[in-house]
Amino acid sequence: MRYLLTFLITCLVASSSLNGITPSAPQIRILVVTGGHAYKVEQFNEMLSSLGDNITFQVVEFPAAYDMFLPENRGKYDVLVFYHMWQKITDEQAKNFSDCIKQGKPVVVLHHSICAFDDWPEYFDIIGGKFFHKPTTVKGKTYPVSSYIHDIHFNVKVSNPKHPVTKGLKDFEIFDETYKDYYVEAGVTPLLTIVEQTSTPIIGWTKKYGKARIVTLQSGHDVPTFENPNFRKLLKQSIEWVYKGK
Ligand SMILES: [Zn+2]
């Protein structure tokens, strides 16, 4: 019996390896939250599919996505990936949303998700930043309206190459939309910076919110970024690192 078990386990490990899954790579189920902003769905999903066999995804759109923050649904996924620009939220939805993260559900925030929830200041604390559609006061300081410009070629500097999110990455070129004059919380750990007059200097950072690790990446507007191998590596390592904090 013992030999049979050993044999079966060996077969299982062997078949996992054949499928390209290394036994040590944890399986991570990501929940991609969209809504409130159009995007190229097919190419975006192609990027998600390219992240490796250990990462699987499902996509859910606001407002239906609010149900996934309810306690009974939190076990259905491991990592939240935000690619939404949703604005409308009730007090009850906000409480479930924030509890889900505070209690340890990690998040990777992409691009226009920095522009969501104009009237929910706790969201700025969760993600560690905010693009302002209107003058906004945060912690006693009033910020002007932020701006954006499409189709900019720029160089991304990996300011923290030892961090697990950026390990193995060198400074790289990207063609993307930039945001300027958005708020970045003072306590975040910067990972990526740029010197570009149309942008705020910090374009990637990490922080903790409650028990959850958060990574926020400003890039990710369109197909050139979805196809950028450096961005894909960054996204994969972000998902894996926030997951490990659980
Ligand atoms: Zn955009």
Side-chain angles (χ1 to χ4, degrees), residues 37 111-112 150 177 179 221:
H37 198 294
H111 192 57
H112 47 240
H150 288 284
E177 179 186 10
Y179 295 162
H221 176 74

Side-chain angles (χ1 to χ4, degrees), residues 53-72:
D53 291 340
N54 64 319
I55 296 175
T56 55
F57 69 94
Q58 55 172 318
V59 182
V60 60
E61 202 173 335
F62 276 125
Y66 281 125
D67 283 351
M68 295 304 279
F69 301 124
L70 295 170
E72 62 267 33

Side-chain angles (χ1 to χ4, degrees), residues 83-101:
Y83 198 55
H84 67 81
M85 203 178 87
W86 200 251
Q87 300 295 340
K88 244 181 124 181
I89 191 163
T90 65
D91 288 348
E92 196 189 343
Q93 286 164 341
K95 190 181 179 310
N96 279 318
F97 188 127
S98 116
D99 278 355
C100 177
I101 297 165

Side-chain angles (χ1 to χ4, degrees), residues 37-40 44 47 83 109-115 147-156 172-180 182 192 194 196-200 203-204 216-232 234-235:
H37 198 294
Y39 67 101
K40 307 246 174 63
F44 187 81
M47 169 180 70
Y83 198 55
V109 182
L110 299 179
H111 192 57
H112 47 240
S113 283
I114 300 174
C115 316
S147 60
Y148 61 89
I149 297 194
H150 288 284
D151 298 344
I152 305 280
H153 280 284
F154 56 92
N155 242 317
V156 179
F172 61 94
E173 270 182 44
I174 203 164
F175 178 68
D176 206 330
E177 179 186 10
T178 55
Y179 295 162
K180 190 171 182 168
Y182 55 89
L192 305 168
I194 62 173
E196 162 58 49
Q197 58 175 358
T198 64
S199 178
T200 292
I203 63 158
T216 301
L217 304 173
Q218 184 276 332
S219 298
H221 176 74
D222 204 357
V223 176
T225 303
F226 304 162
E227 292 180 344
N228 185 309
N230 291 297
F231 186 76
R232 288 183 173 195
L234 201 53
L235 178 57

